[in-house]
Amino acid sequence: MIAATPARAPFPTPSAWWPVALILGVALLAGLTAGDPAPHWALPLGALVLLWALYAGVRWPFTSLRVLLGSTILLVVCRVSGLRSATPFDVLLPSLLLATWFDRLTHRAATLAADTPERATLLAAERRFVRSVQVFFAAAGLSLLQIGMLSGWASAGDSGLMLFRALQGVILYPLCRHWLRDHARIGQAWNALFVAGIALVAVNLLGVLVWQVPRAGMTFFVNNWDAPLASPNEAGAAVLIVGVVLMVREAMRPDARNLALGLLLVLMLALTQSRSALLAWGVFGLFALRGLKPGRLIAGVLGTAMLLPLLPSSFWTRMMRTVVVEKGSFEAFSFFQRVYGWQTAWKVFLDHPITGVGYLGYRFVSSRYNELRIVFGTVENYYYEILVSMGIVGLALLVWATIELYRLGRTIGRVAPQGSLAHHMARFHTPLVTALLVANMTGDNLVGTVSLAQLAMWTAVMVRAGHDALGSRA
């Protein structure tokens, strides 16, 4: 009879209840905040979400890393106050870095040995690239002293915050380098980019068609429905990266979904109305499509032509005004403002040619160098910005890092076996990097988190895929 009596389920321990209580608490506070967005509801909600994110970063570090990889394509943002916002990089990076530190202390084979000539070549190229990036950002940090002396330490602190944001993107390289240590994880990271591309297209189609957003973007504000989408220029770069992901997927395993998503990406590129993104895509096409099979090229051209009637009239109006520099238009105003800003920046450079005025310090001194006393926020050219910010020394260091980035891709292309993921990525590496660099000739996306994170992510996945193709077990 004792055996026939059903056993009573053990009563859950307190540790089993706290996740449920946390979820219910967040749901309750979210409902109260939606009904009454007062600080006494919003602040506890933000604190609980932050605590949950910190816990998730430590408990599931690889999942958190994949969220950050997806955030390089579609960045979900919560506006905190004024122009300040919280991103997944803010809430996940601290705990992910902590988890990475502990894992490095306990992981079995944390370093790769140069056991073959091919791996030794790859490791040497990677070390040169990492060293060049470290030296560049170390010089950027030292240049903050120059801003402090010229414009005050409050200005130096503001530029220091921008430098911190840039480092948030760069840190994605060593994180990927550490956690993508086997073939399965590399594949999951690669799939995360594909899924993020689908989400990017879905959110932007919803934004343009339902929310009447004028231009597609990659930054999605969850609590700012007056302008839920932003960063159209960065969106163009994200679309390009996802497009390259699709090309690599198609080269490794043909799939109709790649073509379907590719056509939607072309449509979204037009919806961004980003002139720098169109320039980047044109440069990429010149370099990458030369070896494409004629059949696939014709299919892509016909598919793109079918999408042209779907483009809004605002796209054609903006492009036409840009080409003819129409008098009185915003496009003409932005063009002449950019030229005037370049002239002002040249005067700043002539006064500080060797070490510049400090990292992103142009905005603090620009009004002193033009007759109209205009405060320019940026030079509108990343390389010109570095020349003004860090002088000839800084530009030389940037050129060094860029050369090593190209060399790293060529090295992986030589040592990776034919048909491997690393080999296909290396094939598109030079066209992709060139296109992203060209886009920054009329902008400064590379001073922010996302654009640097995109480059860091792409490079790290390619490097790890290269080691995996050579038989890495670390």
Side-chain angles (χ1 to χ4, degrees):
M1 291 180 64
I2 294 176
T5 302
R8 294 179 62 186
F11 192 79
T13 62
S15 62
W17 282 108
W18 78 264
V20 177
L22 180 62
I23 293 173
L24 291 176
V26 170
L28 177 61
L29 285 174
L32 293 172
T33 304
D36 178 17
H40 58 269
W41 298 124
L43 291 178
L45 174 63
L48 283 178
V49 171
L50 179 60
L51 288 175
W52 175 254
L54 293 174
Y55 171 78
V58 175
R59 181 65 178 81
W60 303 289
F62 184 62
T63 300
S64 298
L65 178 62
R66 283 188 291 170
V67 171
L68 293 182
L69 292 178
S71 297
T72 66
I73 306 301
L74 177 64
L75 186 67
V76 180
V77 174
C78 178
R79 190 175 296 282
V80 178
S81 63
L83 298 177
R84 302 300 182 186
S85 302
T87 72
F89 289 91
D90 298 316
V91 298
L92 292 178
L93 266 182
S95 53
L96 182 55
L97 288 171
L98 183 63
T100 303
W101 181 66
F102 279 114
D103 194 69
R104 286 182 66 87
L105 293 177
T106 59
H107 194 251
R108 282 81 56 196
T111 59
L112 288 166
D115 50 358
T116 63
E118 291 82 7
R119 195 184 309 283
T121 301
L122 176 52
L123 286 172
E126 186 182 5
R127 280 194 297 268
R128 290 193 301 268
F129 167 67
V130 171
R131 189 182 304 114
S132 66
V133 174
Q134 290 173 338
V135 172
F136 172 77
F137 280 102
L142 289 174
S143 73
L144 296 177
L145 298 174
Q146 182 81 328
I147 301 178
M149 292 184 290
L150 290 175
S151 300
W153 298 108
S155 299
D158 192 76
S159 284
L161 179 60
M162 297 296 293
L163 180 58
F164 175 77
R165 284 292 192 186
L167 292 176
Q168 281 185 315
V170 174
I171 202 69
L172 206 57
Y173 182 89
L175 290 175
C176 289
R177 187 70 171 74
H178 175 79
W179 291 105
L180 303 183
R181 51 184 174 231
D182 57 47
H183 184 75
R185 287 190 170 185
I186 294 171
Q188 291 173 16
W190 190 248
N191 289 334
L193 301 178
F194 179 74
V195 173
I198 296 176
L200 177 70
V201 171
V203 168
N204 276 279
L205 289 180
L206 185 65
V208 173
L209 298 177
V210 178
W211 301 328
Q212 302 299 311
V213 175
R215 296 176 66 184
M218 69 156 297
T219 303
F220 176 43
F221 290 92
V222 296
N223 61 342
N224 185 27
W225 293 105
D226 292 335
L229 292 171
S231 307
N233 292 331
E234 288 83 349
V239 167
L240 176 58
I241 291 175
V242 177
V244 177
V245 169
L246 294 179
M247 292 179 186
V248 173
R249 283 171 53 93
E250 184 68 17
M252 298 184 69
R253 181 179 296 179
D255 189 338
R257 291 177 299 178
N258 297 331
L259 179 60
L261 182 56
L263 292 177
L264 290 176
L265 289 175
V266 173
L267 175 61
M268 190 188 148
L269 172 66
L271 293 178
T272 66
Q273 300 183 31
S274 172
R275 295 164 293 184
S276 61
L278 290 173
L279 178 62
W281 271 80
V283 171
F284 176 81
L286 290 177
F287 282 91
L289 301 183
R290 290 175 298 178
L292 197 65
K293 293 181 179 180
R296 293 182 179 178
L297 183 60
I298 293 173
V301 172
L302 292 177
T304 302
M306 292 174 60
L307 295 175
L308 294 180
L310 301 177
L311 301 183
S313 59
S314 58
F315 169 81
W316 301 109
T317 301
R318 178 174 169 82
M319 295 303 115
M320 183 60 65
R321 287 175 175 173
T322 300
V323 172
V324 302
V325 193
E326 181 179 321
K327 184 178 179 180
S329 66
F330 173 78
E331 288 72 21
F333 169 76
S334 64
F335 171 76
F336 290 115
Q337 183 186 45
R338 180 176 284 119
V339 172
Y340 191 60
W342 288 343
Q343 293 174 344
T344 302
W346 184 250
K347 297 176 183 178
V348 177
F349 165 70
L350 292 179
D351 264 6
H352 307 275
I354 306 302
T355 57
V357 296
Y359 186 74
L360 303 186
Y362 172 67
R363 55 207 168 118
F364 301 119
V365 301
S366 58
S367 61
R368 310 175 196 172
Y369 288 86
N370 65 82
E371 297 176 355
L372 300 178
R373 300 300 179 188
I374 297 176
V375 178
F376 290 100
T378 174
V379 183
E380 295 288 354
N381 180 304
Y382 178 68
Y383 317 103
Y384 204 172
E385 183 83 55
I386 295 301
L387 181 64
V388 174
S389 297
M390 301 168 61
I392 296 174
V393 173
L395 186 61
L397 293 177
L398 178 63
V399 171
W400 176 30
T402 303
I403 291 173
E404 294 300 339
L405 179 61
Y406 278 116
R407 291 178 64 182
L408 180 60
R410 290 197 299 269
T411 299
I412 295 175
R414 289 197 307 268
V415 302
Q418 291 277 347
S420 64
L421 174 61
H423 178 79
H424 286 294
M425 291 184 71
R427 173 190 167 197
F428 290 107
H429 180 73
T430 295
L432 175 61
V433 171
T434 303
L436 294 177
L437 293 179
V438 166
N440 279 270
M441 293 180 67
T442 56
D444 58 351
N445 296 345
L446 286 175
V447 302
T449 301
V450 173
S451 294
L452 287 171
Q454 290 170 345
L455 267 179
M457 169 273 301
W458 169 268
T459 308
V461 173
M462 183 179 65
V463 168
R464 257 311 183 181
H467 286 297
D468 180 71
L470 294 175
S472 169
R473 297 298 179 189

